Amino acid sequence: MFSYRVSGLAVASEVDLPGLIPGDPDRAPEVTIRNAPVPFALDDPEMVGPTWQRAGDRFLLRIPDIARFLLEDGRSIAFEAENGADPQDVAVFLSGSVFGVLLHQRNQIVLHASAVLVGGKAVLFCGASGAGKSTLAAALGKQGYPLIADDQCAIEIGDDGIPMIQADGRQLRLWEKSISELGLAERRGDAMRNRLLKFYVDPAASSERPVPIGAVYALTEIRHPDEPGIERPNIVDATKLLTVNAYRPMLIHRFAQRDVYFRGGTTIAATSGIFRLKRRLGFDGLPATIAMLRGHWTQIGLAEAAS
Amino acid sequence: MIHRDGDWLAAKVGDELVMMSAAKGNYIGLSSVGARIWELIETPQTVESLCDRLVAEYEVDPATCRAEVDAFLAMLGQHNAIRIKDAT
């Protein structure tokens, strides 16, 4: 068995999941991952989508030519690789999308966001795929703000009402995406995979403890003549932004999580602040965006004014 | 009498209140005064008693208060957040 810590959970896996943070093997696992037969369909599903089915606390997900995954009660994942699938590809989906769905099933708030550490607090950037959240987080990483999460941010509200995120070292989004986008022939080449793995996986930046959230920014692309800026949406829009930026928004409905996201959204809006970051897309605009963010962090008390 | 209606989740953000209908998932945002009215009508009461209370708590003349409360209650009614029943 391999032991990992993912979004604060102790995970025991029958298969090696490269890129995850090693966990304590003596801790009782909260989630187990095993290689076992998985059906193509569930008995008496209540809800059926193109790639998934739900029946009670069982959720079946199929990624064609990769594997089928059966998630039960937020506690176990069984997977069966489809013929010819590379085990490493299966591993990437297990630690990426499949775990994201499991977090929804556990009734946790999970955002499609990247996060960096600013003044001891987590600053989150959320947006749809292609919105530039990884690019922005990577650019901030180069400026000395450690990257603490990419693609998935699991949020919990502490007993004191402070929203926190579980830092984790998974930075597999680009890797997973590349598997989806590259052809099968290229997929089989380990060179690309190994290069991506080395480049994007950096568990050194992860921290053992949950980190309080300092601010959440929803990324918004603007075009001329709109001016870049950071604005605080009204409380209704702020609360909705959290739901829109869930890891899998449709799962909020499937797993009856509306109230959880509502409570989370209002708590974050009231404590850390939810903002809209309006900027032009593209690499040229990055320095200006980072300068704008730094100014905002000073304004909201996350960072001290530059001397 | 004004009664709250529907299954609403409500949470304070600063001195404002954001509400979500648990059944439909639609949202309402209330200012601090709106939030106070929502709090007061937890106990069903008449528009008159509600306005008396607000005139005592805020610096507003009764006519302005009544006009704004009527508009506010109409908005809540459109969202199916209140029911108005004749007092008997």
Side-chain angles (χ1 to χ4, degrees), chain A residues 33 36 87 113 166 198 214 242 276:
Chain A
I33 297 176
Q166 289 285 356
K198 271 186 203 148
L242 199 80
R276 230 185 239 116

Side-chain angles (χ1 to χ4, degrees), chain B residues 43-76:
Chain B
T43 311
Q45 56 189 291
T46 60
V47 181
E48 289 73 24
S49 70
L50 178 62
C51 286
D52 289 348
R53 189 73 184 257
L54 293 170
V55 168
E57 289 184 21
Y58 296 90
E59 282 182 26
V60 61
D61 65 86
T64 310
C65 181
R66 178 60 191 248
E68 293 195 4
V69 165
D70 281 343
F72 178 74
L73 293 177
M75 184 277 288
L76 289 182

Side-chain angles (χ1 to χ4, degrees), chain A residues 234-236 239-240 243 258-260 262-263 265-267 269-270, chain B residues 9-11 13 16-20 22-25 27-29:
Chain A
N234 68 52
I235 54 171
V236 166
T239 308
K240 282 183 182 170
T243 306
R258 267 181 188 158
D259 57 338
V260 175
F262 175 77
R263 297 273 171 226
T266 51
T267 305
Chain B
L9 297 169
V13 178
E16 297 173 278
L17 190 76
V18 54
M19 300 179 18
M20 185 190 77
K24 294 179 186 160
Y27 289 73
I28 308 176

